[in-house]
């Protein structure tokens, strides 16, 4: 009886709160869904990168200084021109071209699985790298920056960037990474860069499944940025689109270590 009086009194002052109390009294409250249960698209399985553009930058290591397609500012050009793979090897930094700013651009295979209900795991055979996408912001580990950084993920159900319906994009924002290269031949991104990714899947009439990844890199330290931030300006985030095709199994899976050359 006292509980009913509480709900009635609360309804006069805070109708929404009273509604929640009433639902709880009837046992109508539900625990929030996990990211796995709420997933609008299925990213799990094996995927192989399909290289149909920028072949000479992706399939082989370009010569020193050959990164004209990347909008480096003067500081970025200066650092990029100092690329020395022997020096990286001596420093134990042969994975600088395999960090989060470039890892998804390399010729490779991905194995995507759920590691618990709120963490997507991406194992990558090229460079033997592992990424974890955390749907709970409190979960990314603290400590020293890593090559793959700390990635916070969220489903964009029925929406997408710029309000365009995309049928269930996954948005991932990565920070707290070690500085690395946007190509294996040295164009840099800094430890303060922000990498934003949009994962989207499609299915063709013949049954082929595709993963389309749009990657945006913001790094004022080394990349040219718009002086006004106005859409349509010549500069903005560095954007690349990369395609993967789903495989039936692990055929071709070939873990290989990082190489500075």
């Amino acid at each position: 009886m006292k509980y009913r009086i509480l709900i009635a009194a609360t309804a006069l002052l805070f109708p929404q709160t009273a509604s929640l109390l009433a639902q709880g009294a009837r046992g109508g409250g539900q625990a929030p869904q996990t990211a796995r249960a709420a997933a609008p698209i299925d990213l799990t399985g094996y995927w192989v990168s399909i290289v149909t553009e920028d072949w000479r930058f992706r399939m082989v290591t370009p010569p020193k200084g050959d990164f004209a397609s990347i909008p480096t500012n003067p500081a970025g050009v200066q650092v990029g021109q100092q690329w020395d793979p022997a020096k990286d090897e001596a420093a134990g930094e042969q994975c600088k071209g395999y960090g989060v700013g470039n890892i998804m651009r390399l010729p490779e295979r991905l194995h995507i699985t759920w590691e618990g209900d709120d963490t997507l795991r991406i194992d990558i055979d090229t460079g033997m790298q592992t990424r974890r996408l955390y749907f709970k912001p409190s979960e990314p580990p603290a400590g020293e920056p890593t090559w793959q950084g700390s990635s916070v993920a969220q489903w964009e159900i029925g929406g997408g960037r710029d309000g365009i319906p995309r049928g269930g994009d996954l948005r991932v924002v990565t920070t707290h990474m070690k500085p690395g290269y946007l190509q294996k031949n040295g164009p840099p991104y800094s430890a303060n860069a922000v990498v934003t990714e949009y994962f989207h899947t499609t299915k063709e009439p013949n049954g082929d499944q595709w993963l389309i990844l749009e990657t945006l890199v913001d790094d004022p330290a080394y990349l040219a940025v718009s002086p006004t931030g106005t859409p349509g300006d010549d500069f903005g985030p560095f954007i690349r689109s990369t395609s993967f095709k789903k495989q039936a199994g692990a055929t071709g899976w070939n873990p290989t270590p990082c190489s500075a050359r």
Side-chain angles (χ1 to χ4, degrees):
M1 179 62 72
K2 290 182 179 179
Y3 196 80
R4 292 178 182 174
I5 293 173
L6 171 63
I7 293 176
T10 305
L12 297 175
L13 298 175
F14 307 104
Q16 292 180 344
T17 302
S19 176
L20 293 174
L21 285 170
Q23 291 177 19
R26 293 193 299 268
Q30 296 182 351
Q33 279 189 310
T34 64
R36 185 174 186 175
I41 56 177
D42 183 14
L43 293 170
T44 60
Y46 287 90
W47 305 83
V48 59
S49 58
I50 305 298
V51 181
T52 56
E53 73 289 311
D54 292 340
W55 195 95
R56 72 184 182 90
F57 295 111
R58 298 174 62 186
M59 297 301 295
V60 296
T61 302
K64 183 176 182 177
D66 186 2
F67 47 84
S69 62
I70 297 176
T72 47
N73 61 21
V77 171
Q78 181 179 13
V79 173
Q81 292 289 356
Q82 297 172 8
W83 175 63
D84 184 344
K87 185 177 180 179
D88 287 340
E89 290 170 345
E93 294 191 327
Q94 57 267 33
C95 288
K96 291 186 79 170
Y98 298 75
V100 66
N102 189 54
I103 185 62
M104 304 297 278
R105 194 68 176 167
L106 298 173
E108 64 202 358
R109 284 173 170 80
L110 314 177
H111 184 209
I112 304 180
T113 57
W114 283 99
E115 190 173 86
D117 287 331
D118 290 298
T119 304
L120 266 177
R121 173 173 173 151
I122 305 177
D123 289 300
I124 305 164
D125 64 350
T126 299
M128 301 169 64
Q129 298 295 301
T130 296
R131 299 186 60 189
R132 288 177 174 84
L133 315 182
Y134 296 93
F135 286 82
K136 292 185 176 180
S138 60
E139 287 189 6
E144 294 296 318
T146 63
W147 293 122
Q148 305 309 324
S150 295
S151 298
V152 177
Q154 68 179 68
W155 298 117
E156 294 200 328
I157 301 172
R161 195 165 58 88
D162 302 325
I164 301 173
R166 301 188 179 205
D169 280 342
L170 173 66
R171 180 176 186 264
V172 178
V173 178
T174 302
T175 57
H176 198 60
M177 75 278 287
K178 295 175 67 172
Y181 298 148
L182 292 166
Q183 278 178 190
K184 285 191 65 179
N185 64 335
Y189 62 89
S190 74
N192 294 321
V194 177
V195 177
T196 304
E197 298 165 293
Y198 294 88
F199 293 71
H200 180 61
T201 58
T202 63
K203 189 172 184 178
E204 300 299 322
N206 66 356
D208 289 347
Q209 296 183 60
W210 292 83
L211 168 61
I212 311 300
L213 176 63
E214 185 179 27
T215 303
L216 295 76
V217 182
D218 283 290
D219 186 16
Y222 293 130
L223 293 177
V225 295
S226 165
T228 64
T230 303
D233 281 352
D234 291 338
F235 302 114
F238 176 44
I239 302 175
R240 294 190 285 199
S241 181
T242 308
S243 299
F244 298 85
K245 187 177 180 180
K246 194 165 191 178
Q247 297 185 273
T251 301
W253 182 259
N254 183 31
T256 54
C258 298
S259 171
R261 300 176 186 273

